[in-house]
Amino acid sequence: MSISDILHGKGRRVVTVRTTDTVEFAVRKLAEHRIGAVVVEDKWMHQAGIFSERDVVRALAAHGPDALTMSISELMSTDVTTCDEGATVDS
C-alpha cells in the first residue's frame, strides 16, 4: 500500500500550528479536527516540527496544568520523518 492510497482515503488536508502558539491552542485544534497530531510551522511557514497527543501527555506529566500555557516550541518533537506520496507503508 502506498502513501498515496492512504491520502486518497483520509484526505490531504494538513492542520498546522505555529511555534509560538500555546499547548492549549494545539490541543483545541487536535480535538476540533479529531486528529492525533499537527504540523508545527515557524514564522516563515516552514516545518519546524510536529506536536502530537503523546507530546501533550508528556508535557502534562512533566509540568502539570501549567503545560497548557507553554509554547509549542518548548514541547514539540523536532525529529520529523517525511516521505513522498509514492512511498510504500513498508518503506
Side-chain angles (χ1 to χ4, degrees):
M1 175 179 276
S2 71
I3 300 302
S4 179
D5 294 333
I6 294 170
L7 293 174
H8 181 71
K10 292 183 73 89
R12 297 177 178 275
R13 182 160 187 228
V14 176
V15 178
T16 62
V17 295
R18 304 291 292 272
T19 55
T20 55
D21 288 332
T22 65
V23 171
E24 180 180 5
F25 180 81
V27 166
R28 291 184 187 282
K29 286 283 187 183
L30 294 172
E32 174 187 347
H33 295 281
R34 298 175 49 103
I35 54 176
V38 289
V39 172
V40 182
E41 294 180 332
D42 63 18
K43 65 181 177 181
W44 299 282
M45 297 178 67
H46 295 122
Q47 179 181 302
I50 191 165
F51 189 75
S52 69
E53 292 171 331
R54 183 174 290 178
D55 293 316
V56 173
V57 170
R58 289 179 180 153
L60 289 170
H63 305 284
D66 290 339
L68 294 174
T69 61
M70 296 173 76
S71 70
I72 296 296
S73 64
E74 296 177 78
L75 302 167
M76 68 184 185
S77 300
T78 57
D79 187 19
V80 179
T81 302
T82 62
C83 65
D84 64 44
E85 63 183 61
T88 65
V89 173
D90 291 335
S91 65

